[in-house]
Amino acid sequence: MSKTFEKLQPLLDKSMAFQTARSLFEWDDQTTAPFEAAEYTAKVVGIISDEYMKSMINDDVRKLLKKLQDDKEQEELTDTEKAIVKELSKAYEQLESIPPEEYRAFSELTSVSSRKWSKAKKDNCFEDFAPYLKKIIDFKKKFAGYRVKGDKKPYEVLLGDYEECFMIKELDAFFDLVKAEIVPLLKEVAKKAETIDKSYNYLNYDIEKQKEFSKYLAGYVGFDFNRGVIAESAHPFTLQLHNHDVRITNRFIENNLESAMFSIIHESGHAMYEMNIDDAITQTLVGGGASMGMHESQSRFFENIIGRSNEFWAPIYDKLVNTYPENLSNITLDHFIKGINKAAPNLIRTEADELSYCIHVIIRYEIEKMIFNDEVTVDELPKVWNQKYQEYMGITPSTDTEGILQDTHWSWGEFGYFPSYAIGTAVASQIFACMQEKMPIDDYLKVGNLTPIREYLRDNIHKFGAVRNTNEILKQVCGEEFKADYYVKYLKEKYKKLYDL
Ligand code: ZN
């Protein structure tokens, strides 16, 4: 270890500790804290956040970082240390570029605006949320402007915060291909899917039984209960303190069988990624997943590519039927598989099937691009949103609640985030394609042996954390960088087989 890096280490450990404390409060807030706690606990969280800021942005860190960025110093660093310095440079630049008073004003705005969004969504009143959205967008344009370099566009600065390998050029090419191939396929599939009776999914499913079966599924795919816990929250999510303490949540809906089952598989995918990160890098700046896109690739790999296959359910479907014999005894495995893969144009992203999901993301991406290119005003957004749904899905939302107001991301100032969901889905298909050449995945699934699949992902992707970026991982695993063709091929083959097209 270089002398300079040795000096930096304890400083980074300190900021990691503040960050961990903050995460723990976030977990507590969303799972067990009583309703009235928020206002008072916010004071504590504010102080911890402030200390975190100070532990990152100060003269000591600045001097050491500058020294470590020097070519000669770089030569002395290991690959992991280099990656940590790179992450620190990014975080430093991001935090330092914004004047503290603007950062505070923005934090205050988003803590109010997310509640305003929630109410506006409930009341179906975009006009109530619009003034806040305008202010958030103004801030984000300003913040992106501080960091824009060379011929990069402001929106690309925001995209880069979530996934550095995909800028507008790459995303445009990816989404153009999806639009050309998947939009027509969805229309074709939807016609055939109409005949699939999925009413069994919406019968009454005892919540206690759902909890038990979800826990079983988490363990089945490989969630390690010695390193992780499961709780309940309004929206399922994953949060890690380090690789030996990874927490996931689930939610249960009485008249929807699929919701909790696929949420738990999804979050378990995120959790296993974090649990498998190497002990040597956990609790460092590269001790989390490589990017949002890479993280989504792992959750979606388990949820969709594996979790919605016949082979996955074959060994455990009887157990599901025996858990709810009153609802499922007449539903064959084949019927169930068609049910969990039923595809049709729809309005709500979080409830979308695998085939239409990417189209929801494309619509948001195109609108965000228009916003940051100053091609649309906030007041025009509902109209633009509805036009795009009509164009790509052939349906128009009848309210803003099921249109422009459905997602929470913008109310937090998260612009540039949505593409990660689509990138993740496509990356998962590419990894699946090269894994199939290396191991008989279907045979493993048919006998309920997921260990070789999990070990492969651990040894080739998970353990490296954020030392490698998405394209570096793909190059290592598949021998080439990201290629959207795998995704299109995967969807076409899957749906053609399922629906006899
Ligand atoms: Zn996810």
Side-chain angles (χ1 to χ4, degrees):
M1 192 185 281
S2 90
K3 282 249 152 32
T4 317
F5 195 87
E6 216 170 297
K7 282 185 200 152
L8 180 68
Q9 187 74 60
L11 304 180
L12 293 183
D13 283 348
K14 193 174 167 188
S15 69
M16 175 274 296
F18 286 125
Q19 177 74 297
T20 307
R22 206 161 62 162
S23 299
L24 197 51
F25 271 108
E26 193 187 316
W27 166 265
D28 187 62
D29 178 46
Q30 307 227 24
T31 55
T32 42
F35 180 71
E36 287 201 5
E39 211 180 303
Y40 290 80
T41 308
K43 195 173 162 186
V44 181
V45 176
I47 293 167
I48 296 174
S49 298
D50 220 37
E51 287 301 316
Y52 166 70
M53 257 309 235
K54 283 188 211 153
S55 71
M56 283 286 278
I57 306 294
N58 59 60
D59 285 345
D60 293 340
V61 176
R62 188 183 292 112
K63 274 183 211 149
L64 292 169
L65 176 62
K66 205 156 185 318
K67 217 169 160 196
L68 286 164
Q69 285 167 330
D70 186 81
D71 286 348
K72 232 173 147 200
E73 285 274 350
Q74 286 272 314
E75 278 170 25
E76 282 184 50
L77 300 177
T78 64
D79 283 351
T80 304
E81 288 163 1
K82 267 186 207 153
I84 291 173
V85 170
K86 191 180 155 199
E87 282 303 310
L88 180 63
S89 306
K90 273 200 284 185
Y92 209 88
E93 192 193 298
Q94 195 180 346
L95 286 172
E96 211 187 19
S97 69
I98 302 169
E101 63 282 4
E102 286 180 18
Y103 188 80
R104 207 170 309 129
F106 180 69
S107 302
E108 277 168 26
L109 172 65
T110 49
S111 70
V112 179
S113 61
S114 61
R115 263 179 254 151
K116 294 286 172 192
W117 161 77
S118 172
K119 174 127 193 350
K121 182 181 175 183
K122 214 169 117 217
D123 298 344
N124 183 35
C125 188
F126 180 73
E127 289 73 28
D128 287 351
F129 177 54
Y132 296 90
L133 187 57
K134 274 179 201 162
K135 281 189 206 157
I136 291 172
I137 290 170
D138 287 345
F139 266 120
K140 292 302 277 191
K141 282 182 179 169
K142 209 159 89 177
F143 293 169
Y146 292 145
R147 291 158 62 205
V148 81
K149 276 188 203 133
D151 54 3
K152 251 196 184 163
K153 291 208 157 70
Y155 183 48
E156 293 186 306
V157 174
L158 306 177
L159 287 169
D161 287 342
Y162 304 108
E163 180 59 76
E164 66 173 23
C165 299
F166 294 79
M167 291 295 114
I168 290 175
K169 187 173 150 243
E170 289 80 17
L171 287 172
D172 281 351
F174 169 27
F175 290 149
D176 281 348
L177 181 70
V178 173
K179 277 196 276 186
E181 302 276 355
I182 304 304
V183 172
L185 179 63
L186 176 63
K187 284 184 184 140
E188 209 181 332
V189 166
K191 246 183 260 157
K192 283 221 164 184
E194 273 171 18
T195 56
I196 298 166
D197 178 13
K198 207 178 155 173
S199 55
Y200 69 86
N201 187 58
Y202 307 104
L203 300 171
N204 265 18
Y205 289 88
D206 180 71
I207 299 280
E208 287 310 312
K209 283 186 186 172
Q210 285 201 48
K211 284 183 189 171
E212 212 173 296
F213 199 81
S214 288
K215 202 175 162 198
Y216 166 75
L217 276 178
Y220 186 77
V221 296
F223 183 85
D224 180 351
F225 287 90
N226 289 319
R227 291 179 172 213
V229 289
I230 305 177
E232 276 180 63
S233 66
H235 297 282
F237 68 95
T238 300
L239 179 145
Q240 74 282 355
L241 302 184
H242 43 73
N243 68 349
H244 282 65
D245 188 344
V246 183
R247 298 153 182 238
I248 60 176
T249 68
N250 201 2
R251 76 164 158 195
F252 301 94
I253 304 169
E254 194 156 27
N255 53 4
N256 191 331
L257 171 66
E258 280 178 23
S259 175
M261 291 200 305
F262 287 99
S263 287
I264 201 76
I265 300 176
H266 181 97
E267 299 307 328
S268 296
H270 281 304
M272 288 186 280
Y273 192 171
E274 292 294 333
M275 286 169 175
N276 284 336
I277 284 170
D278 209 273
D279 284 344
I281 57 169
T282 190
Q283 296 186 305
T284 73
L285 284 174
V286 294
S291 65
M292 282 317 302
M294 206 60 217
H295 237 299
E296 282 302 316
S297 81
Q298 297 309 289
S299 53
R300 283 170 189 278
F301 178 85
F302 281 96
E303 177 198 350
N304 292 328
I305 296 184
I306 289 193
R308 288 181 202 271
S309 71
N310 187 299
E311 292 78 11
F312 176 87
W313 283 98
I316 59 172
Y317 187 62
D318 278 351
K319 186 175 167 70
L320 181 69
V321 174
N322 291 334
T323 307
Y324 313 104
E326 65 285 9
N327 296 340
L328 297 178
S329 54
N330 290 326
I331 307 297
T332 62
L333 173 62
D334 186 55
H335 185 168
F336 175 74
I337 297 300
K338 283 211 164 75
I340 59 177
N341 288 294
K342 185 170 177 172
N346 56 81
L347 296 170
I348 311 292
R349 178 185 61 84
T350 54
E351 289 162 24
D353 55 81
E354 218 180 333
L355 199 52
S356 62
Y357 189 84
C358 211
I359 300 167
H360 290 277
V361 174
I362 292 174
I363 291 171
R364 285 151 180 78
Y365 165 71
E366 291 185 349
I367 292 176
E368 288 187 347
K369 227 168 42 165
M370 289 172 78
I371 291 173
F372 287 89
N373 283 341
D374 295 318
E375 290 166 3
V376 65
T377 66
V378 167
D379 297 328
E380 290 164 345
L381 287 177
K383 202 177 97 198
V384 173
W385 181 283
N386 292 355
Q387 279 167 349
K388 290 210 177 275
Y389 268 84
Q390 188 57 46
E391 186 186 344
Y392 297 137
M393 294 273 197
I395 45 176
T396 303
S398 56
T399 65
D400 287 337
T401 300
E402 55 181 16
I404 185 95
L405 285 173
Q406 67 180 267
D407 294 309
T408 176
H409 302 59
W410 291 348
S411 78
W412 291 103
E414 286 176 352
F415 289 87
Y417 188 104
F418 286 115
S420 314
Y421 293 126
I423 293 164
T425 304
V427 166
S429 324
Q430 187 167 349
I431 291 169
F432 181 57
C434 37
M435 276 177 81
Q436 273 178 315
E437 283 176 15
K438 287 169 189 155
M439 63 172 76
I441 294 187
D442 286 353
D443 295 343
Y444 289 145
L445 290 175
K446 274 185 216 159
V447 295
N449 177 17
L450 276 72
T451 308
I453 299 168
R454 239 178 5 244
E455 285 177 350
Y456 181 86
L457 295 172
R458 180 194 65 200
D459 296 340
N460 292 283
I461 298 171
H462 299 171
K463 73 171 185 186
F464 300 108
V467 172
R468 298 175 177 173
N469 69 25
T470 303
N471 269 332
E472 286 163 351
I473 292 170
L474 285 174
K475 220 159 168 210
Q476 196 71 27
V477 175
C478 304
E480 59 184 340
E481 294 192 344
F482 176 76
K483 231 170 143 184
D485 306 38
Y486 289 102
Y487 176 52
V488 171
K489 189 165 171 272
Y490 160 75
L491 284 177
K492 277 187 158 174
E493 275 175 10
K494 173 171 180 169
Y495 280 91
K496 284 196 164 151
K497 195 172 149 209
L498 261 170
Y499 287 93
D500 271 331
L501 295 173

